[in-house]
Amino acid sequence: DVQLQASGGGLVQTGGSLRLSCAASGLRSDDVAIGWFRQAPGKEREGVACFSSSDGSAYYAGSVKGRFTASGDMDKKTFYLQMNSLKPDDTAVYYCAADQRYKHCYPGMDYWGKGTQVTVSS
């Protein structure tokens, strides 16, 4: 089974930056979609970014587009979410997820990391 470990969360002020990492093990090929999701207290989980290792493409939710960048290092089997110009509304637990069957991002992806807390103070 694929296992994911998200890390890199922390406390930053408005306008600051963080880079989240998602270390993957058990991938059966280099073709994978990595989704980034977040969940704030009392709110449902939302997708924020999707990275496809097949062609290096990435997609973003409108709320983060222009501020967040998803990427991957296939040699290290590690994926990243660079978050810039952070806002208090970005405060949430962030999760990475993987799909190798359909190679798409969606809420029911098969494999999920534990999550890492991001807190942005005003």
Short mmCIF file of all heavy atoms in Angstrom, two decimals, residues 57-114:
data_model
loop_
_atom_site.label_atom_id
_atom_site.label_comp_id
_atom_site.label_asym_id
_atom_site.label_seq_id
_atom_site.Cartn_x
_atom_site.Cartn_y
_atom_site.Cartn_z
N SER A 57 1.91 18.85 -14.72
CA SER A 57 0.86 19.86 -14.66
C SER A 57 0.33 20.00 -13.25
O SER A 57 0.43 19.08 -12.43
CB SER A 57 -0.27 19.51 -15.62
OG SER A 57 -0.88 18.28 -15.26
N ALA A 58 -0.24 21.14 -12.97
CA ALA A 58 -0.82 21.41 -11.66
C ALA A 58 -2.07 22.26 -11.82
O ALA A 58 -2.15 23.08 -12.75
CB ALA A 58 0.19 22.09 -10.75
N TYR A 59 -3.01 22.06 -10.92
CA TYR A 59 -4.26 22.80 -10.92
C TYR A 59 -4.52 23.30 -9.52
O TYR A 59 -4.12 22.68 -8.53
CB TYR A 59 -5.41 21.90 -11.40
CG TYR A 59 -5.17 21.31 -12.76
CD1 TYR A 59 -4.50 20.10 -12.90
CD2 TYR A 59 -5.60 21.96 -13.91
CE1 TYR A 59 -4.25 19.56 -14.16
CE2 TYR A 59 -5.36 21.43 -15.16
CZ TYR A 59 -4.69 20.24 -15.29
OH TYR A 59 -4.45 19.71 -16.53
N TYR A 60 -5.21 24.42 -9.42
CA TYR A 60 -5.39 25.08 -8.14
C TYR A 60 -6.82 25.58 -7.97
O TYR A 60 -7.48 25.97 -8.93
CB TYR A 60 -4.44 26.27 -8.01
CG TYR A 60 -3.00 25.90 -8.23
CD1 TYR A 60 -2.42 26.02 -9.49
CD2 TYR A 60 -2.23 25.41 -7.19
CE1 TYR A 60 -1.09 25.67 -9.70
CE2 TYR A 60 -0.91 25.05 -7.39
CZ TYR A 60 -0.35 25.18 -8.64
OH TYR A 60 0.97 24.83 -8.85
N ALA A 61 -7.26 25.55 -6.73
CA ALA A 61 -8.51 26.21 -6.40
C ALA A 61 -8.35 27.71 -6.56
O ALA A 61 -7.27 28.27 -6.38
CB ALA A 61 -8.93 25.87 -4.97
N GLY A 62 -9.45 28.36 -6.91
CA GLY A 62 -9.39 29.80 -7.12
C GLY A 62 -8.90 30.57 -5.91
O GLY A 62 -8.26 31.63 -6.06
N SER A 63 -9.17 30.05 -4.72
CA SER A 63 -8.79 30.75 -3.51
C SER A 63 -7.29 30.79 -3.27
O SER A 63 -6.81 31.62 -2.50
CB SER A 63 -9.48 30.12 -2.30
OG SER A 63 -9.14 28.75 -2.18
N VAL A 64 -6.54 29.90 -3.93
CA VAL A 64 -5.09 29.83 -3.71
C VAL A 64 -4.30 30.08 -4.98
O VAL A 64 -3.07 30.22 -4.91
CB VAL A 64 -4.67 28.48 -3.09
CG1 VAL A 64 -5.48 28.20 -1.83
CG2 VAL A 64 -4.82 27.34 -4.10
N LYS A 65 -4.95 30.12 -6.12
CA LYS A 65 -4.25 30.29 -7.38
C LYS A 65 -3.44 31.59 -7.38
O LYS A 65 -3.94 32.64 -7.00
CB LYS A 65 -5.23 30.28 -8.54
CG LYS A 65 -4.58 30.14 -9.91
CD LYS A 65 -5.62 29.91 -10.99
CE LYS A 65 -4.98 29.63 -12.33
NZ LYS A 65 -5.99 29.34 -13.38
N GLY A 66 -2.20 31.48 -7.81
CA GLY A 66 -1.31 32.63 -7.80
C GLY A 66 -0.50 32.75 -6.53
O GLY A 66 0.47 33.51 -6.50
N ARG A 67 -0.88 32.02 -5.49
CA ARG A 67 -0.17 32.05 -4.22
C ARG A 67 0.49 30.72 -3.89
O ARG A 67 1.54 30.69 -3.26
CB ARG A 67 -1.11 32.44 -3.08
CG ARG A 67 -1.74 33.82 -3.25
CD ARG A 67 -2.51 34.24 -1.99
NE ARG A 67 -3.62 33.33 -1.72
CZ ARG A 67 -3.76 32.62 -0.59
NH1 ARG A 67 -2.85 32.71 0.36
NH2 ARG A 67 -4.81 31.84 -0.42
N PHE A 68 -0.13 29.61 -4.28
CA PHE A 68 0.37 28.27 -3.98
C PHE A 68 0.93 27.63 -5.25
O PHE A 68 0.42 27.86 -6.36
CB PHE A 68 -0.73 27.37 -3.44
CG PHE A 68 -1.24 27.72 -2.07
CD1 PHE A 68 -0.90 28.91 -1.45
CD2 PHE A 68 -2.06 26.83 -1.41
CE1 PHE A 68 -1.38 29.23 -0.18
CE2 PHE A 68 -2.55 27.13 -0.14
CZ PHE A 68 -2.21 28.33 0.47
N THR A 69 1.97 26.80 -5.09
CA THR A 69 2.56 26.07 -6.19
C THR A 69 2.79 24.62 -5.78
O THR A 69 3.46 24.37 -4.77
CB THR A 69 3.88 26.69 -6.64
OG1 THR A 69 3.69 28.06 -7.00
CG2 THR A 69 4.44 25.93 -7.84
N ALA A 70 2.24 23.69 -6.55
CA ALA A 70 2.44 22.27 -6.29
C ALA A 70 3.50 21.72 -7.23
O ALA A 70 3.53 22.06 -8.42
CB ALA A 70 1.13 21.50 -6.48
N SER A 71 4.37 20.87 -6.70
CA SER A 71 5.45 20.29 -7.49
C SER A 71 5.82 18.93 -6.93
O SER A 71 5.28 18.50 -5.91
CB SER A 71 6.67 21.22 -7.51
OG SER A 71 7.19 21.39 -6.20
N GLY A 72 6.75 18.25 -7.59
CA GLY A 72 7.18 16.95 -7.12
C GLY A 72 8.60 16.65 -7.53
O GLY A 72 9.08 17.12 -8.56
N ASP A 73 9.29 15.88 -6.70
CA ASP A 73 10.63 15.38 -6.98
C ASP A 73 10.52 13.87 -7.01
O ASP A 73 10.48 13.22 -5.96
CB ASP A 73 11.61 15.85 -5.90
CG ASP A 73 13.04 15.43 -6.19
OD1 ASP A 73 13.26 14.43 -6.90
OD2 ASP A 73 13.95 16.11 -5.69
N MET A 74 10.48 13.30 -8.20
CA MET A 74 10.24 11.86 -8.31
C MET A 74 11.43 11.04 -7.85
O MET A 74 11.26 9.90 -7.43
CB MET A 74 9.86 11.50 -9.74
CG MET A 74 8.56 12.14 -10.22
SD MET A 74 7.19 11.96 -9.03
CE MET A 74 7.08 10.17 -8.91
N ASP A 75 12.64 11.58 -7.93
CA ASP A 75 13.81 10.86 -7.42
C ASP A 75 13.69 10.65 -5.91
O ASP A 75 14.07 9.60 -5.40
CB ASP A 75 15.09 11.61 -7.74
CG ASP A 75 15.44 11.57 -9.22
OD1 ASP A 75 14.98 10.64 -9.91
OD2 ASP A 75 16.19 12.46 -9.68
N LYS A 76 13.20 11.65 -5.22
CA LYS A 76 13.02 11.56 -3.78
C LYS A 76 11.66 11.02 -3.38
O LYS A 76 11.44 10.76 -2.19
CB LYS A 76 13.22 12.94 -3.14
CG LYS A 76 14.62 13.51 -3.29
CD LYS A 76 14.72 14.86 -2.60
CE LYS A 76 16.12 15.43 -2.70
NZ LYS A 76 16.22 16.75 -2.05
N LYS A 77 10.77 10.87 -4.34
CA LYS A 77 9.40 10.45 -4.06
C LYS A 77 8.77 11.39 -3.03
O LYS A 77 8.11 10.95 -2.08
CB LYS A 77 9.35 9.00 -3.60
CG LYS A 77 9.91 8.00 -4.62
CD LYS A 77 9.09 8.00 -5.91
CE LYS A 77 9.53 6.88 -6.83
NZ LYS A 77 10.90 7.12 -7.38
N THR A 78 9.00 12.67 -3.23
CA THR A 78 8.50 13.68 -2.32
C THR A 78 7.83 14.78 -3.13
O THR A 78 8.33 15.20 -4.18
CB THR A 78 9.63 14.28 -1.47
OG1 THR A 78 10.26 13.24 -0.72
CG2 THR A 78 9.08 15.31 -0.49
N PHE A 79 6.70 15.25 -2.62
CA PHE A 79 5.90 16.25 -3.29
C PHE A 79 5.76 17.47 -2.39
O PHE A 79 5.81 17.35 -1.17
CB PHE A 79 4.54 15.66 -3.68
CG PHE A 79 4.69 14.42 -4.50
CD1 PHE A 79 4.81 13.18 -3.88
CD2 PHE A 79 4.73 14.48 -5.88
CE1 PHE A 79 4.98 12.02 -4.63
CE2 PHE A 79 4.90 13.33 -6.65
CZ PHE A 79 5.02 12.11 -6.02
N TYR A 80 5.57 18.62 -3.00
CA TYR A 80 5.63 19.86 -2.26
C TYR A 80 4.44 20.76 -2.58
O TYR A 80 3.91 20.75 -3.69
CB TYR A 80 6.92 20.62 -2.58
CG TYR A 80 8.16 19.81 -2.38
CD1 TYR A 80 8.79 19.18 -3.45
CD2 TYR A 80 8.71 19.66 -1.12
CE1 TYR A 80 9.93 18.43 -3.28
CE2 TYR A 80 9.85 18.90 -0.92
CZ TYR A 80 10.46 18.29 -2.00
OH TYR A 80 11.60 17.54 -1.82
N LEU A 81 4.07 21.53 -1.59
CA LEU A 81 3.11 22.61 -1.78
C LEU A 81 3.74 23.87 -1.19
O LEU A 81 3.82 24.02 0.03
CB LEU A 81 1.77 22.31 -1.11
CG LEU A 81 0.69 23.36 -1.35
CD1 LEU A 81 0.25 23.36 -2.82
CD2 LEU A 81 -0.52 23.12 -0.45
N GLN A 82 4.20 24.75 -2.07
CA GLN A 82 4.75 26.02 -1.65
C GLN A 82 3.62 27.01 -1.47
O GLN A 82 2.84 27.24 -2.40
CB GLN A 82 5.74 26.55 -2.69
CG GLN A 82 6.35 27.90 -2.36
CD GLN A 82 7.26 27.86 -1.15
OE1 GLN A 82 8.09 26.96 -1.04
NE2 GLN A 82 7.10 28.81 -0.25
N MET A 83 3.51 27.59 -0.29
CA MET A 83 2.42 28.49 0.04
C MET A 83 3.00 29.85 0.37
O MET A 83 3.76 30.00 1.33
CB MET A 83 1.61 27.95 1.22
CG MET A 83 1.11 26.53 1.03
SD MET A 83 0.03 25.97 2.38
CE MET A 83 1.20 26.01 3.74
N ASN A 84 2.65 30.83 -0.44
CA ASN A 84 3.12 32.20 -0.25
C ASN A 84 1.95 33.12 0.02
O ASN A 84 0.79 32.79 -0.23
CB ASN A 84 3.86 32.68 -1.50
CG ASN A 84 5.10 31.87 -1.80
OD1 ASN A 84 5.77 31.38 -0.91
ND2 ASN A 84 5.41 31.72 -3.10
N SER A 85 2.26 34.30 0.53
CA SER A 85 1.24 35.32 0.81
C SER A 85 0.09 34.74 1.61
O SER A 85 -1.09 34.94 1.29
CB SER A 85 0.74 35.94 -0.50
OG SER A 85 1.80 36.52 -1.23
N LEU A 86 0.42 34.04 2.66
CA LEU A 86 -0.59 33.34 3.44
C LEU A 86 -1.54 34.30 4.14
O LEU A 86 -1.15 35.39 4.57
CB LEU A 86 0.08 32.42 4.46
CG LEU A 86 0.66 31.15 3.85
CD1 LEU A 86 1.66 30.51 4.80
CD2 LEU A 86 -0.46 30.16 3.51
N LYS A 87 -2.78 33.87 4.24
CA LYS A 87 -3.85 34.64 4.86
C LYS A 87 -4.43 33.85 6.03
O LYS A 87 -4.32 32.63 6.07
CB LYS A 87 -4.97 34.92 3.84
CG LYS A 87 -4.51 35.55 2.55
CD LYS A 87 -5.66 35.62 1.56
CE LYS A 87 -5.23 36.22 0.24
NZ LYS A 87 -6.36 36.26 -0.73
N PRO A 88 -5.08 34.52 6.97
CA PRO A 88 -5.73 33.78 8.06
C PRO A 88 -6.72 32.73 7.57
O PRO A 88 -6.86 31.68 8.21
CB PRO A 88 -6.43 34.88 8.86
CG PRO A 88 -5.58 36.08 8.65
CD PRO A 88 -5.11 35.98 7.22
N ASP A 89 -7.38 32.97 6.45
CA ASP A 89 -8.32 31.99 5.91
C ASP A 89 -7.63 30.72 5.42
O ASP A 89 -8.31 29.73 5.16
CB ASP A 89 -9.12 32.60 4.76
CG ASP A 89 -10.21 33.54 5.23
OD1 ASP A 89 -10.49 33.57 6.44
OD2 ASP A 89 -10.79 34.25 4.38
N ASP A 90 -6.32 30.73 5.30
CA ASP A 90 -5.58 29.53 4.93
C ASP A 90 -5.36 28.61 6.12
O ASP A 90 -4.86 27.49 5.94
CB ASP A 90 -4.22 29.89 4.32
CG ASP A 90 -4.35 30.65 3.01
OD1 ASP A 90 -5.21 30.28 2.19
OD2 ASP A 90 -3.56 31.60 2.80
N THR A 91 -5.70 29.05 7.30
CA THR A 91 -5.52 28.23 8.50
C THR A 91 -6.36 26.96 8.40
O THR A 91 -7.58 27.02 8.21
CB THR A 91 -5.91 29.02 9.76
OG1 THR A 91 -5.00 30.12 9.93
CG2 THR A 91 -5.85 28.14 10.99
N ALA A 92 -5.71 25.82 8.51
CA ALA A 92 -6.39 24.53 8.36
C ALA A 92 -5.37 23.41 8.59
O ALA A 92 -4.17 23.66 8.66
CB ALA A 92 -7.01 24.39 6.97
N VAL A 93 -5.89 22.19 8.69
CA VAL A 93 -5.05 21.01 8.60
C VAL A 93 -4.94 20.66 7.12
O VAL A 93 -5.96 20.53 6.44
CB VAL A 93 -5.61 19.84 9.40
CG1 VAL A 93 -4.75 18.60 9.21
CG2 VAL A 93 -5.69 20.19 10.88
N TYR A 94 -3.73 20.51 6.65
CA TYR A 94 -3.48 20.21 5.24
C TYR A 94 -3.11 18.74 5.08
O TYR A 94 -2.30 18.20 5.84
CB TYR A 94 -2.36 21.10 4.70
CG TYR A 94 -2.81 22.50 4.42
CD1 TYR A 94 -3.09 23.38 5.46
CD2 TYR A 94 -2.98 22.96 3.11
CE1 TYR A 94 -3.54 24.67 5.21
CE2 TYR A 94 -3.42 24.25 2.85
CZ TYR A 94 -3.69 25.10 3.90
OH TYR A 94 -4.12 26.38 3.64
N TYR A 95 -3.69 18.11 4.08
CA TYR A 95 -3.47 16.71 3.79
C TYR A 95 -2.99 16.54 2.35
O TYR A 95 -3.40 17.28 1.46
CB TYR A 95 -4.77 15.91 3.93
CG TYR A 95 -5.43 15.99 5.28
CD1 TYR A 95 -6.31 17.02 5.59
CD2 TYR A 95 -5.19 15.01 6.24
CE1 TYR A 95 -6.92 17.09 6.82
CE2 TYR A 95 -5.81 15.07 7.48
CZ TYR A 95 -6.67 16.11 7.76
OH TYR A 95 -7.29 16.17 8.99
N CYS A 96 -2.15 15.55 2.13
CA CYS A 96 -1.84 15.12 0.78
C CYS A 96 -2.48 13.77 0.53
O CYS A 96 -2.67 12.98 1.46
CB CYS A 96 -0.33 15.08 0.51
SG CYS A 96 0.64 13.98 1.57
N ALA A 97 -2.82 13.52 -0.70
CA ALA A 97 -3.46 12.28 -1.10
C ALA A 97 -2.89 11.84 -2.44
O ALA A 97 -2.38 12.66 -3.21
CB ALA A 97 -4.98 12.46 -1.20
N ALA A 98 -2.97 10.53 -2.72
CA ALA A 98 -2.38 9.98 -3.93
C ALA A 98 -3.37 9.08 -4.66
O ALA A 98 -4.19 8.40 -4.03
CB ALA A 98 -1.12 9.19 -3.61
N ASP A 99 -3.26 9.09 -5.97
CA ASP A 99 -4.05 8.21 -6.82
C ASP A 99 -3.16 7.74 -7.96
O ASP A 99 -2.54 8.55 -8.65
CB ASP A 99 -5.27 8.93 -7.38
CG ASP A 99 -6.07 8.06 -8.33
OD1 ASP A 99 -6.92 7.30 -7.86
OD2 ASP A 99 -5.83 8.14 -9.56
N GLN A 100 -3.09 6.42 -8.15
CA GLN A 100 -2.35 5.83 -9.26
C GLN A 100 -3.24 5.04 -10.21
O GLN A 100 -2.75 4.56 -11.23
CB GLN A 100 -1.23 4.93 -8.73
CG GLN A 100 -0.10 5.69 -8.06
CD GLN A 100 1.14 4.84 -7.88
OE1 GLN A 100 1.18 3.95 -7.04
NE2 GLN A 100 2.15 5.11 -8.70
N ARG A 101 -4.50 4.92 -9.88
CA ARG A 101 -5.41 4.20 -10.75
C ARG A 101 -5.96 5.11 -11.85
O ARG A 101 -5.81 4.83 -13.04
CB ARG A 101 -6.55 3.59 -9.94
CG ARG A 101 -7.53 2.79 -10.76
CD ARG A 101 -8.56 2.13 -9.88
NE ARG A 101 -9.49 1.31 -10.65
CZ ARG A 101 -10.48 0.62 -10.13
NH1 ARG A 101 -10.69 0.65 -8.82
NH2 ARG A 101 -11.28 -0.10 -10.92
N TYR A 102 -6.59 6.20 -11.43
CA TYR A 102 -7.15 7.15 -12.39
C TYR A 102 -6.23 8.32 -12.66
O TYR A 102 -6.42 9.04 -13.65
CB TYR A 102 -8.50 7.65 -11.89
CG TYR A 102 -9.48 6.53 -11.64
CD1 TYR A 102 -9.87 6.20 -10.35
CD2 TYR A 102 -10.01 5.81 -12.69
CE1 TYR A 102 -10.76 5.17 -10.11
CE2 TYR A 102 -10.90 4.77 -12.46
CZ TYR A 102 -11.28 4.46 -11.17
OH TYR A 102 -12.17 3.44 -10.93
N LYS A 103 -5.26 8.54 -11.78
CA LYS A 103 -4.29 9.62 -11.92
C LYS A 103 -4.99 10.98 -11.98
O LYS A 103 -4.62 11.86 -12.75
CB LYS A 103 -3.40 9.40 -13.14
CG LYS A 103 -2.61 8.10 -13.07
CD LYS A 103 -1.77 7.88 -14.31
CE LYS A 103 -0.96 6.59 -14.22
NZ LYS A 103 -1.84 5.39 -14.18
N HIS A 104 -6.00 11.12 -11.17
CA HIS A 104 -6.73 12.36 -11.01
C HIS A 104 -6.91 12.67 -9.53
O HIS A 104 -6.78 11.78 -8.68
CB HIS A 104 -8.11 12.29 -11.67
CG HIS A 104 -8.07 12.16 -13.16
ND1 HIS A 104 -7.49 13.11 -13.98
CD2 HIS A 104 -8.55 11.19 -13.98
CE1 HIS A 104 -7.61 12.72 -15.24
NE2 HIS A 104 -8.25 11.57 -15.26
N CYS A 105 -7.22 13.91 -9.23
CA CYS A 105 -7.51 14.32 -7.86
C CYS A 105 -9.00 14.43 -7.66
O CYS A 105 -9.71 15.02 -8.49
CB CYS A 105 -6.85 15.67 -7.55
SG CYS A 105 -5.04 15.64 -7.59
N TYR A 106 -9.48 13.90 -6.55
CA TYR A 106 -10.89 13.94 -6.20
C TYR A 106 -11.00 13.62 -4.72
O TYR A 106 -10.06 13.10 -4.12
CB TYR A 106 -11.71 12.97 -7.06
CG TYR A 106 -11.21 11.54 -7.04
CD1 TYR A 106 -11.81 10.59 -6.21
CD2 TYR A 106 -10.15 11.15 -7.84
CE1 TYR A 106 -11.36 9.29 -6.19
CE2 TYR A 106 -9.69 9.84 -7.82
CZ TYR A 106 -10.30 8.92 -7.00
OH TYR A 106 -9.85 7.62 -6.98
N PRO A 107 -12.15 13.92 -4.11
CA PRO A 107 -12.24 13.75 -2.65
C PRO A 107 -12.04 12.33 -2.15
O PRO A 107 -11.62 12.15 -1.00
CB PRO A 107 -13.66 14.25 -2.33
CG PRO A 107 -13.97 15.21 -3.42
CD PRO A 107 -13.32 14.61 -4.65
N GLY A 108 -12.33 11.33 -2.98
CA GLY A 108 -12.23 9.95 -2.55
C GLY A 108 -10.96 9.25 -2.98
O GLY A 108 -10.99 8.04 -3.21
N MET A 109 -9.87 9.97 -3.09
CA MET A 109 -8.59 9.36 -3.44
C MET A 109 -8.24 8.27 -2.42
O MET A 109 -8.59 8.36 -1.25
CB MET A 109 -7.50 10.42 -3.52
CG MET A 109 -7.75 11.45 -4.61
SD MET A 109 -6.55 12.81 -4.63
CE MET A 109 -5.19 12.02 -5.49
N ASP A 110 -7.53 7.24 -2.88
CA ASP A 110 -7.35 6.04 -2.07
C ASP A 110 -6.40 6.21 -0.89
O ASP A 110 -6.59 5.60 0.16
CB ASP A 110 -6.84 4.90 -2.95
CG ASP A 110 -7.92 4.31 -3.84
OD1 ASP A 110 -9.11 4.49 -3.54
OD2 ASP A 110 -7.55 3.65 -4.83
N TYR A 111 -5.38 7.03 -1.05
CA TYR A 111 -4.33 7.11 -0.04
C TYR A 111 -4.19 8.53 0.48
O TYR A 111 -4.14 9.48 -0.30
CB TYR A 111 -3.00 6.62 -0.62
CG TYR A 111 -3.10 5.22 -1.18
CD1 TYR A 111 -3.18 5.00 -2.54
CD2 TYR A 111 -3.12 4.12 -0.33
CE1 TYR A 111 -3.29 3.72 -3.05
CE2 TYR A 111 -3.23 2.84 -0.83
CZ TYR A 111 -3.31 2.64 -2.19
OH TYR A 111 -3.41 1.37 -2.69
N TRP A 112 -4.11 8.64 1.81
CA TRP A 112 -4.06 9.94 2.48
C TRP A 112 -2.97 9.98 3.52
O TRP A 112 -2.73 8.99 4.23
CB TRP A 112 -5.40 10.24 3.16
CG TRP A 112 -6.51 10.46 2.19
CD1 TRP A 112 -7.22 9.51 1.52
CD2 TRP A 112 -7.05 11.72 1.79
NE1 TRP A 112 -8.17 10.10 0.71
CE2 TRP A 112 -8.08 11.46 0.87
CE3 TRP A 112 -6.75 13.05 2.13
CZ2 TRP A 112 -8.82 12.48 0.27
CZ3 TRP A 112 -7.49 14.05 1.54
CH2 TRP A 112 -8.51 13.76 0.62
N GLY A 113 -2.30 11.11 3.62
CA GLY A 113 -1.39 11.36 4.71
C GLY A 113 -2.14 11.78 5.95
O GLY A 113 -3.35 12.07 5.91
N LYS A 114 -1.43 11.84 7.07
CA LYS A 114 -2.07 12.15 8.35
C LYS A 114 -2.49 13.61 8.46
O LYS A 114 -3.49 13.92 9.11
CB LYS A 114 -1.12 11.80 9.49
CG LYS A 114 -1.77 11.82 10.86
CD LYS A 114 -0.80 11.33 11.91
CE LYS A 114 -1.44 11.32 13.29
NZ LYS A 114 -0.49 10.82 14.32
#
